[in-house]
Amino acid sequence: MSPDRFAALWRSLAPIGRTPEGYQRSSWSEADLACREWFTEEAADRGLTVETDGNGNLWAWRGDPAAGDAIVTGSHLDSVPGGGGYDGPLGIVSGFLALDLLSERGCVFRRPVGVVAFTEEEGSRFGVACLGSRLMTGALDPARAAGLRDRDGVTLADAMKSAGVDPSALGPDPVRLGRISAFVELHVEQGRALAAPVGVASAIWPHGRWRLDFTGTGNHAGTTRMDQRHDPMLTFAFAVLAANKEARLRDAYATVGRAEVSPNATNAIASTVTAWLDARAPEQSTVDGLIKAVTTKVTDRATRDGTRFVMSPESLSPVTEFHTELRDRIVALLDGAPVLPTGAGHDAGVLAAHVPTAMLFIRNPTGVSHAPDESATEVDCTAGVEALATVLEELACR
Ligand SMILES: [Zn+2]
């Protein structure tokens, strides 16, 4: 396939939700709905049947999924706030193009093939990563999901209703899941771990998100003596540094990238700070040790600051080892493509507990992700489409 063909389809999606500060495609936003429309049109152009499942995940089918033993590829269309264009959409664009290649090659499909766009993989709006795939597989309670609120207080149920999707069918979907015999997600690589254009995933590191609540006493910045303050901002600042230090000590990753301060005024000592910690490592025991150390150190610091500190898990993902046999088969098909683990979570990680699952990674020359500089070359993306087509042909046409 010529890189121009990749570029042409890429260009049709690229402007949606793009701002000077990066992509804004949070789930069920106007941009997300426009992406969904794009998906539906591209599927229709290819004669694929489109359906939205009870969890808002979009499916485009070649063949009848009810026949079962289906092969599915795809990823997600949503972005983090200010995200890059490749994380998610690359897997969907590549899925459509790979199907085009197979049709042109005259492949005889022995199994139905689907391209899926999972809802809210990033967890940027409602706080739970892989929302759509977790709901489908039963890993997330539908009642809890329906009541999740975004920063403006809008619930997931209401956001879905506003988009014309009935939220009453949220929840496990064993019938749909049972029809899938393999899932292959193609994704941009998100570090600098890949020197070749295409790689194959071995595992996803265990990772999680914790909410950190710091409570102190709001007061006047000009009249409250320094030794009489209960300033939660200090405990918060300590927590950020402690998480960083404890992560470095263990070769783990810890990030505090989001915080809310109340009342958030220049001339007032804060009364509360809420922050979110993201922690990841190759081993679960390392993540556990990191969280334990941070909890102990920050609790001690809170005592000294006269503040209160509570840390609660919001979403936890254990290590995911991808299906070894499928992975080895794909590596052989792709002439010994490099195999690598990732610290990033994916819908494929959720699916892997239920169906044989694999991931293809596409080289990211900047190593940047979840930021506007995220990139991949047209040539590498085209190599990715060809690799995905090779994999789908093997799985669906033989
Ligand atoms: Zn992603």
Side-chain angles (χ1 to χ4, degrees):
M1 175 178 280
S2 94
D4 293 349
R5 268 183 75 188
F6 171 83
L9 186 55
W10 190 251
R11 269 199 304 274
S12 67
L13 177 64
I16 303 174
R18 186 166 58 193
T19 76
E21 295 79 39
Y23 279 95
Q24 311 290 348
R25 290 172 174 165
S26 62
S27 67
W28 303 115
S29 65
E30 237 167 79
D32 186 41
L33 297 182
C35 286
R36 287 167 179 268
E37 216 174 284
W38 170 90
F39 181 100
T40 305
E41 280 168 14
E42 288 303 325
D45 284 353
R46 291 167 169 80
L48 308 176
T49 316
V50 179
E51 48 179 7
T52 305
D53 70 21
N55 296 307
N57 304 313
L58 267 175
W59 303 79
W61 287 105
R62 190 194 160 105
D64 181 6
D69 198 17
I71 307 301
V72 177
T73 187
S75 192
H76 59 99
L77 290 165
D78 69 310
S79 75
V80 297
Y86 294 84
D87 179 351
L90 183 60
I92 293 167
V93 167
S94 302
F96 284 138
L97 290 173
L99 280 182
D100 292 349
L101 272 185
L102 296 190
S103 302
E104 286 158 24
R105 287 179 194 166
C107 294
V108 179
F109 288 86
R110 302 191 188 282
R111 296 176 187 84
V113 181
V115 179
V116 64
F118 284 112
T119 298
E120 177 131 350
E121 189 276 339
E122 300 289 4
S124 297
R125 182 166 180 190
F126 294 103
V128 178
C130 302
L131 189 65
S133 55
R134 278 185 211 258
L135 277 162
M136 182 176 93
T137 57
L140 178 64
D141 175 54
R144 186 188 155 213
L148 288 171
R149 287 178 191 278
D150 70 7
R151 292 168 205 214
D152 299 321
V154 179
T155 63
L156 172 64
D158 284 339
M160 289 176 75
K161 269 187 229 157
S162 309
V165 179
D166 176 11
S168 67
L170 280 172
D173 196 345
V175 172
R176 193 174 302 272
L177 192 59
R179 291 170 175 168
I180 305 171
S181 65
F183 177 59
V184 181
E185 179 170 0
L186 178 148
H187 203 279
V188 69
E189 205 272 318
Q190 293 173 286
R192 258 201 187 125
L194 188 56
V198 181
V200 182
S202 56
I204 297 177
W205 288 4
H207 56 281
R209 297 176 182 195
W210 287 260
R211 180 184 158 118
L212 316 178
D213 285 295
F214 306 88
T215 313
T217 309
N219 214 328
H220 197 293
T223 60
T224 315
R225 282 176 46 169
M226 292 303 279
D227 61 354
Q228 290 179 357
R229 298 181 176 205
H230 304 289
D231 187 348
M233 196 67 108
L234 299 181
T235 322
F236 160 64
F238 178 86
V240 175
L241 296 173
N244 183 279
K245 181 175 178 183
E246 293 301 323
R248 283 164 179 269
L249 287 172
R250 294 172 168 78
D251 279 334
Y253 290 20
T255 307
V256 180
R258 178 184 169 197
E260 288 169 5
V261 179
S262 178
N264 208 22
T266 306
N267 58 355
I269 297 163
S271 55
T272 62
V273 179
T274 303
W276 284 263
L277 169 68
D278 176 305
R280 308 165 191 238
E283 309 281 337
Q284 185 64 47
S285 58
T286 311
V287 177
D288 295 345
L290 167 72
I291 294 305
K292 198 168 160 222
V294 170
T295 307
T296 307
K297 288 180 106 177
V298 181
T299 303
D300 177 57
R301 172 76 199 204
T303 308
R304 285 186 278 137
D305 290 337
T307 57
R308 243 178 343 117
F309 168 62
V310 179
M311 184 156 165
S312 22
E314 280 201 337
S315 73
L316 303 173
S317 306
V319 67
T320 302
E321 301 280 355
F322 288 112
H323 198 268
T324 319
E325 203 185 300
L326 181 59
R327 182 192 69 206
D328 292 348
R329 201 167 151 202
I330 290 174
V331 169
L333 274 173
L334 303 180
D335 299 324
V339 176
L340 64 159
T342 177
H346 299 287
D347 294 306
V350 176
L351 270 281
H354 304 271
V355 298
T357 297
M359 284 191 82
L360 299 181
F361 288 127
I362 307 307
R363 175 164 58 187
N364 174 357
T366 60
V368 172
S369 192
H370 285 184
D373 283 345
E374 181 182 272
S375 75
T377 67
E378 285 168 11
V379 171
D380 284 357
C381 292
T382 307
V385 170
E386 284 168 354
L388 183 62
T390 303
V391 172
L392 294 180
E393 184 176 6
E394 165 81 9
L395 297 177
C397 309
R398 288 193 208 286

